[in-house]
Amino acid sequence: MERLTPIGTAATALFRSVREPMKHLATVALILNLGVAPAYAQDESVKMAYSGTSTGASAVNLQQPGTVTVEENFEGNGALGPFTVRIISAETNSPQEPPNTCSGPANIYFTRGGGAGVFRFQDGSLLKVNVWQGADCIDLEKLPGIGHCTLTLQITGGTGRFKDASGGILTLTETNVPVLADALNNPVFFASTGEFTGTVSGVPIEEGQNGQ
């Protein structure tokens, strides 16, 4: 068996003294990376309550034939943290054939077309959505009428901690109570309450946030 020279023995000892700490450092780095890695919610269920106002006379005009432009401004809280949101969409300006869910004798039914919205969260991050479809069922039995709205929103992207938002669907359910009418007694400004429910993909659900 080949015997190590004093130089070879010293080199071997030096190699071992360097290798062992490096192994420990690699282990520590792995543990730290696992410990601080953000938790990303893939198809995570979310629920966010809100309140605010809605109007059937937005300053924005989508210029879609046979529609008026509806604007909604809400503030709320939920699984993604406190937020504000502004949604603009086109709604038919005349009643449509109602489904069974809005077929009462005192109900009238309107549908929503295209539109979009932006959620803004406390850290400045934005979450962008498109209005996929929606409808408003107005119950006139109790004047001046109570509106029940549903919207289907498709997540299209975002900024900040939502820059990796890759998709998902949110459903808005909303109750509108008229607070102001125009000169022809048509309600034009509403107090709104409701919630967003659905799933998001690629969005971090951070610790300490209050799911509603």
Side-chain angles (χ1 to χ4, degrees):
M1 182 175 63
E2 182 179 358
R3 299 181 60 186
L4 294 174
T5 64
I7 294 177
T9 302
T12 300
L14 178 61
F15 173 75
R16 287 175 178 171
S17 67
V18 171
R19 183 180 63 180
E20 292 304 317
M22 290 298 292
K23 288 170 63 179
H24 290 302
L25 286 174
T27 302
V28 170
L30 178 61
I31 292 172
L32 289 175
N33 284 334
L34 291 175
V36 301
Y40 283 90
Q42 298 298 324
D43 294 329
E44 182 75 16
S45 296
V46 298
K47 183 177 181 180
M48 302 184 291
Y50 68 83
S51 61
T53 60
S54 303
T55 178
S58 173
V60 177
N61 186 355
L62 297 178
Q63 299 187 34
Q64 294 191 17
T67 70
V68 295
T69 302
V70 176
E71 181 171 332
E72 292 153 312
N73 290 276
F74 307 137
E75 182 174 350
N77 196 1
L80 301 177
F83 66 90
T84 59
V85 60
R86 183 186 184 194
I87 301 171
I88 295 173
S89 61
E91 180 181 64
T92 53
N93 57 15
S94 60
Q96 307 295 300
E97 184 70 24
N100 292 336
T101 54
C102 185
S103 59
N107 292 349
I108 55 176
Y109 183 74
F110 301 88
T111 59
R112 302 279 189 104
V118 178
F119 291 81
R120 186 182 189 280
F121 294 83
Q122 278 191 332
D123 63 355
S125 297
L126 303 178
L127 184 64
K128 298 181 290 183
V129 297
N130 281 342
V131 177
W132 189 6
Q133 61 184 8
D136 292 88
C137 179
I138 313 299
D139 182 358
L140 299 176
E141 186 173 2
K142 295 182 179 180
L143 294 177
I146 304 297
H148 301 282
C149 172
T150 60
L151 292 179
T152 302
L153 308 173
Q154 184 174 30
I155 296 171
T156 60
T159 66
R161 62 188 172 99
F162 301 104
K163 63 183 177 63
D164 296 319
S166 58
I169 297 294
L170 296 176
T171 299
L172 170 152
T173 55
E174 174 183 326
T175 299
N176 292 314
V177 178
V179 294
L180 180 65
D182 62 17
L184 300 177
N185 205 33
N186 297 310
V188 294
F189 188 60
F190 306 85
S192 306
T193 58
E195 66 180 14
F196 297 94
T197 58
T199 59
V200 293
S201 299
V203 176
I205 309 296
E206 297 183 350
E207 292 185 3
Q209 293 176 335
N210 181 25
Q212 297 293 310

